Amino acid sequence: MTVTVRFAPSPTGNIHIGNARTALFNWLFALQRGGRFMQRFDDTDVERSRQEYADNILTDIAWLGIEPSAVEYQSKRFVVYEAAVAKLKAADLLYPCYETAEELDLKRKVRLTRRLPPVYGREALKLTADERAGLEAEGRRPHWRFLLPNFDADPFSTRRTEVTWTDLVRGEETVDLASLSDPVLVREDGTYLYTLPSVADDIDLGITHVIRGDDHVTNTGVQIALFRALGAEPPAFGHHNLLTAATGEGLSKRSGALSIASLRADGIEPMAVASLAVLTGTSQNVVAARDMAELAGRFDMASTSRSASKFDPADLLVLNRTLLHGMEFAAVAERLAALGISGVRAEPFWLAVRGNLDRLADAAGWWRIVTEGPAEEPDLSDEDRAFLRAAFDLLPPAPWDGTTFKAWMDQVKSASGRKGKALFMPVRLVLTGLPSGPELADLLPLLGPEGTQARRP
């Protein structure tokens, strides 16, 4: 059986790093097993779902390196849900209820005052056909509940009914169906709540493993019961811990906090995002993986902590720098060309500056320094100006290479008596305009004799 997983966000906003964590867990799980990754949009919430958000999500997961084998929209699959509803009704497992929200709230409060669990008492099952007709004549429309299999013969006499599964992340998990209300699957207006379309789709699309956040753990018992009511074997389930902001606050698509789009716009490398999203909150060391294959080699869902994990964007820059510092020129040549960095100097330039970059776009600033000179003339003392003029008189003849700078400084040191910072800092300031940066031994050949002499004070 081919492993088949799905990432199923609702397209009601742009996905954030927490959503990406779920997508990546699914993608890496499938990648490790030669399986399939399906992108499904749970867009039955017509009022809030937007195609632009779905398009953005597809862009975001593609940027992360995820390649869906298929894209599905729940809004185009209602025939599947109608068939599931019909099957449940035929088996007397989906029953109409007519209580208003206010009436249900009152019933919950009454049960609580009697020290009973606030679950639905299945009163609607006692309604006769005439009573249902009378309620509908009043203008009431039913919502439909799934009759949980938590009783023997009498639905009003529930018994402890454990649903157990071996969670891919959390190990053995158990939910007692007797502690739950029969879930509403269809609203009064005929629209579906999350549970029925999700289960019906997982059956129809052949999903073998459902990997999602641990906020869904309590849903799983009901969903397993629904899979079986529809005549299907439930998939394997895995529930990973959630990511929060560094402050401990939950992430939200509506707020846009730590959205993938914003991280991409900020110049963060996709593998920095993927590495931190996947490895945070696990027993693995959080280090930057160069590609998905390397990350898949480190990925182990079972090493995920049960508690929520804080996601600190500052950690992204650390990983980003690590990735950039090790990137070969061939991997960035096109992106550098888009920044105007090309020609015979492009590769040695990249090798010279990559170790000083936080983001790849920062290379453009160093390219301007190399090709045009410092943005501002450095503030030098008269003594340093005199020193530099004498130093420039000692510049070695062409051709220049990686040894030229040391040879030059050896002569300048011998002639001036300067050493350490007093020797090197004025040279760095006059050549780059900045007090720190790439090794001058690497920059000097890029400047060449002409470019260097043009900076003579």
Side-chain angles (χ1 to χ4, degrees), residues 17 20-22 24-25 28 32 240-243 270-305 307-312 315-316 319 323:
I17 194 73
R21 180 175 175 82
T22 299
L24 288 161
F25 268 46
L28 294 170
Q32 288 175 335
H240 63 76
N241 61 348
L242 301 181
L243 297 184
M271 285 311 302
V273 176
S275 298
L276 195 53
V278 168
L279 299 175
T280 293
T282 73
S283 61
Q284 308 292 316
N285 291 328
V286 181
V287 293
R290 290 168 295 180
D291 52 40
M292 279 295 174
E294 183 179 333
L295 188 56
R298 298 178 188 169
F299 175 63
D300 176 16
M301 273 201 299
S303 72
T304 305
S305 168
S307 57
S309 298
K310 294 182 180 180
F311 184 92
D312 189 347
D315 295 335
L316 277 176
L319 297 183
L323 286 170

Side-chain angles (χ1 to χ4, degrees), residues 67 79 125 128 183 216 227 241 256 269 279 360 365 382 396 440 443 448:
E67 302 172 7
V79 65
L125 286 175
T128 65
H216 287 284
F227 274 103
N241 61 348
E269 297 296 310
L279 299 175
L360 185 134
D382 291 342
L440 292 176
L443 289 182

Side-chain angles (χ1 to χ4, degrees), residues 325 348-357 363 366-367 370 438 443 446:
H325 298 178
F349 166 80
W350 171 251
L351 298 179
V353 304
R354 63 182 178 177
N356 288 267
L357 304 178
W366 283 106
W367 183 252
V370 167
L443 289 182
L446 294 170

Side-chain angles (χ1 to χ4, degrees), residues 109-376:
K109 290 177 179 177
V110 169
R111 289 184 67 90
L112 286 171
T113 59
R114 295 177 180 174
R115 297 187 178 181
L116 296 172
V119 297
Y120 179 62
R122 293 174 169 165
E123 291 84 359
L125 286 175
K126 298 177 181 179
L127 294 173
T128 65
D130 288 343
E131 287 172 329
R132 289 197 296 269
L135 289 168
E136 294 195 16
E138 295 174 6
R140 297 204 186 196
R141 293 292 175 265
H143 55 271
W144 295 79
R145 290 181 183 268
F146 171 51
L147 184 61
L148 291 173
N150 55 9
F151 59 94
D152 292 321
D154 181 5
F156 300 103
S157 179
T158 60
R159 59 170 172 77
R160 184 172 181 84
T161 305
E162 292 185 348
V163 174
T164 301
W165 72 96
T166 303
D167 198 277
L168 298 169
V169 178
R170 300 165 63 88
E172 290 300 308
E173 288 285 343
T174 299
V175 172
D176 175 19
L177 296 183
S179 67
L180 305 175
S181 294
D182 291 338
V184 177
L185 300 188
V186 186
R187 299 182 181 92
E188 289 85 349
D189 61 2
T191 59
Y192 303 105
L193 279 84
Y194 163 80
T195 302
L196 185 134
S198 181
V199 169
D201 278 338
D202 288 342
I203 295 170
D204 188 63
L205 298 173
I207 302 302
T208 62
H209 296 76
V210 173
I211 301 168
R212 55 193 181 180
D214 61 14
D215 52 334
H216 287 284
V217 169
T218 54
N219 302 337
T220 305
V222 167
Q223 291 178 358
I224 288 174
L226 186 55
F227 274 103
R228 290 173 177 157
L230 290 170
E233 185 63 25
F237 287 90
H239 295 90
H240 63 76
N241 61 348
L242 301 181
L243 297 184
T244 68
T247 57
E249 295 175 296
L251 304 178
S252 168
K253 283 186 294 187
R254 297 184 200 180
S255 72
L258 293 174
S259 72
I260 300 303
S262 68
L263 295 175
R264 182 171 65 248
D266 192 34
I268 304 299
E269 297 296 310
M271 285 311 302
V273 176
S275 298
L276 195 53
V278 168
L279 299 175
T280 293
T282 73
S283 61
Q284 308 292 316
N285 291 328
V286 181
V287 293
R290 290 168 295 180
D291 52 40
M292 279 295 174
E294 183 179 333
L295 188 56
R298 298 178 188 169
F299 175 63
D300 176 16
M301 273 201 299
S303 72
T304 305
S305 168
R306 278 177 170 254
S307 57
S309 298
K310 294 182 180 180
F311 184 92
D312 189 347
D315 295 335
L316 277 176
L317 274 182
V318 175
L319 297 183
N320 214 56
R321 284 192 289 266
T322 300
L323 286 170
L324 290 174
H325 298 178
M327 279 188 184
E328 297 300 326
F329 174 71
V332 296
E334 290 187 9
R335 295 166 65 190
L336 292 176
L339 295 173
I341 302 169
S342 60
V344 295
R345 287 191 290 180
E347 181 169 6
F349 166 80
W350 171 251
L351 298 179
V353 304
R354 63 182 178 177
N356 288 267
L357 304 178
D358 287 337
R359 298 167 176 80
L360 185 134
D362 297 343
W366 283 106
W367 183 252
R368 284 191 294 273
I369 289 172
V370 167
T371 57
E372 301 173 16
E376 297 181 4

